[in-house]
């Protein structure tokens, strides 16, 4: 991994636990495998603890690591980390994606609540005014029985559904892998995507970024969303056609809370920076700062299960990657 992440992922109390469980290379952390020291460590390694900045575990790297049998990933998706060669070799792969889902869901909950109050647009209005907003700007705002549509029962989507339960929302879900019985257990109304878009005041995107989900929300689908609704994206920018979204936002018909964009980072020249109905953040919904320790704790817990001969709790299987990030 990039060594800069190591102290936050594994503060002393976690690093001490890790040392008790595993015989860790003296290098502690390295991001490249092209020098003699890292190659020697790789040749001995049975377990790789990886994170942001790790190069892909391709065939050449795997040939240099003949003893490798487990990868514990202290981050989210392993889609671009583990190659076909790694899956063929039967390496066990675990990911901290579940731990990373928590802060993304929390950010999204905050965005939903503030969007229901039209807080983002009213904040900009207030900055240019010396009075409280007139009644016409406050008409229709509020979170009582607000219709919230969730696209994707991913780990983030499911955690968000849990966080939404105490509130007075009418929640619908669209996910091709969820049936009516599971939707009932989740406490949501299951709808086809187009019907969800037609009937939601707030649309929050939590689908995986796959070739088949690129521009899932394109121009025609964005046009289905009611006037005055807000689109929230904390998943991946490519899920939304940003040209089509910009047209809707520039017209003022929709609002948006975007933590991810396409491209990313968003150029300073983008019109989205200027629009009063758009709230942009620089990909901060996922684990940052002191939240990284939660990812490290997941890895240490998995290492303990490995040593104890127990199945990995957060193991990822290749077949999962057909429908998850």
């Amino acid at each position: 991994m990039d060594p800069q992440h190591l102290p936050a992922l594994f503060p002393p109390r976690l690093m001490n636990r890790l040392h008790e469980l595993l015989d860790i290379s003296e290098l502690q952390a390295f991001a490249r495998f092209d020098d003699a020291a890292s190659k020697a460590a790789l040749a001995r390694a049975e377990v790789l603890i990886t994170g942001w900045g790790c190069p892909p575990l391709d065939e050449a790297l795997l040939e240099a690591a003949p003893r490798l049998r487990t990868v514990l990933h202290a981050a989210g998706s392993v889609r671009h980390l583990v190659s076909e060669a790694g899956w063929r070799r039967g390496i066990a792969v675990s990911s901290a994606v579940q731990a990373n889902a928590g802060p993304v869901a929390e950010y999204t909950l905050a965005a939903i609540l503030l969007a229901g109050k039209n807080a983002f647009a009213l904040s900009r209005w207030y900055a240019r005014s010396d009075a409280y907003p007139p009644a016409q700007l406050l008409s229709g705002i509020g979170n009582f029985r607000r219709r919230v549509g969730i696209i994707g029962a991913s780990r983030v989507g499911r955690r968000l559904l849990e966080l939404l339960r105490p509130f007075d929302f009418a929640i619908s879900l669209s996910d091709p892998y969820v049936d009516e019985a599971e939707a009932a257990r989740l406490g949501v109304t299951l709808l086809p995507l187009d019907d969800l878009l037609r009937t939601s005041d707030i649309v929050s995107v939590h689908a995986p970024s796959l070739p088949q989900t690129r521009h899932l929300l394109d121009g025609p689908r964005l046009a289905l969303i009611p006037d005055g609704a807000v689109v929230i994206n904390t998943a991946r920018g490519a899920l939304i056609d940003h040209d089509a979204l910009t047209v809707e936002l520039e017209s003022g018909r929709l609002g948006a809370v975007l933590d991810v964009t396409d491209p990313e980072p968003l150029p300073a020249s983008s019109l989205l920076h200027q629009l009063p109905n758009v709230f942009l953040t620089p990909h901060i919904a996922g684990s940052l700062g002191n939240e990284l320790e939660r990812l490290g704790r997941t890895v240490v817990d998995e290492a303990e299960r490995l040593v104890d001969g127990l199945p990995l709790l957060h193991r990822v299987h290749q077949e999962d990657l057909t429908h998850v990030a």
Side-chain angles (χ1 to χ4, degrees):
M1 66 181 68
D2 186 330
Q4 70 170 320
H5 300 307
L6 190 66
L9 286 167
F10 302 103
R13 59 184 172 274
L14 284 184
M15 186 59 78
N16 290 340
R17 274 188 66 198
L18 206 54
H19 275 287
E20 291 172 359
L21 294 165
L22 304 175
D23 178 14
I24 301 174
S25 166
E26 290 299 320
L27 290 168
Q28 294 294 303
F30 49 89
R32 300 176 61 175
F33 301 100
D34 55 1
D35 61 86
S38 61
K39 287 180 179 178
L42 198 60
R44 298 191 304 269
E46 296 175 288
V47 178
L48 277 185
I49 295 175
T50 60
W52 295 305
C54 182
L57 307 183
D58 57 19
E59 196 150 6
L61 187 145
L62 293 171
E63 287 179 1
R67 302 178 65 191
L68 181 63
R69 58 190 179 92
T70 306
V71 173
L72 305 179
H73 191 51
S77 176
V78 299
R79 176 175 298 278
H80 302 295
L81 176 69
V82 183
S83 67
E84 180 67 32
W87 297 116
R88 281 200 311 267
R89 194 155 121 184
I91 293 171
V93 180
S94 173
S95 167
V97 65
Q98 183 68 45
N100 193 51
V104 181
E106 292 164 0
Y107 175 106
T108 309
L109 171 65
I112 289 171
L113 292 170
L114 289 171
K117 286 285 194 177
N118 200 22
F120 303 111
L122 287 174
S123 174
R124 291 199 180 193
W125 181 91
Y126 197 32
R128 302 189 305 269
S129 177
D130 58 359
Y132 290 122
Q136 61 265 30
L137 288 183
L138 302 179
S139 176
I141 72 170
N143 284 312
F144 179 66
R145 301 305 293 166
R146 179 72 67 184
R147 301 175 301 173
V148 178
I150 306 299
I151 301 175
S154 60
R155 290 177 178 86
V156 174
R158 288 168 187 267
R159 178 59 182 144
L160 176 61
L161 291 176
E162 292 175 0
L163 296 178
L164 288 170
R165 281 177 189 148
F167 299 95
D168 288 317
F169 290 122
I171 304 172
S172 57
L173 170 71
S174 179
D175 190 309
Y177 297 96
V178 173
D179 59 21
E180 290 287 354
E182 187 174 7
R185 289 193 295 270
L186 293 171
V188 297
T189 300
L190 188 65
L191 293 176
L193 178 56
D194 288 0
D195 290 345
L196 178 144
L197 296 174
R198 290 188 185 97
T199 57
S200 295
D201 303 308
I202 297 173
V203 174
S204 191
V205 182
H206 302 286
S209 183
L210 305 170
Q212 61 267 34
T213 60
R214 177 172 172 77
H215 291 180
L216 182 67
L217 298 189
D218 55 12
R221 278 189 165 144
L222 289 169
L224 297 175
I225 302 174
D227 292 358
V230 176
V231 176
I232 299 172
N233 191 5
T234 57
R236 288 291 184 268
L239 292 164
I240 301 178
D241 180 341
H242 273 60
D243 291 339
L245 179 62
T246 300
V247 171
E248 295 284 9
L249 296 171
E250 191 175 11
S251 74
R253 200 181 73 78
L254 300 178
V257 179
L258 304 175
D259 185 55
V260 291
T261 55
D262 186 21
E264 193 175 63
L266 195 66
S269 59
S270 172
L271 179 64
L272 297 183
H273 287 293
Q274 310 302 323
L275 294 175
N277 51 339
V278 180
F279 185 76
L280 295 168
T281 51
H283 205 139
I284 61 170
S287 297
L288 293 173
N290 62 21
E291 295 164 336
L292 295 183
E293 183 178 342
R294 188 187 289 120
L295 306 183
R297 187 178 301 278
T298 298
V299 166
V300 174
D301 290 345
E302 289 286 70
E304 187 167 15
R305 294 180 69 86
L306 184 67
V307 170
D308 290 342
L310 298 173
L312 296 173
L313 193 60
H314 302 288
R315 184 165 182 173
V316 180
H317 299 276
Q318 186 180 18
E319 54 269 26
D320 297 337
L321 302 183
T322 61
H323 60 277
V324 300

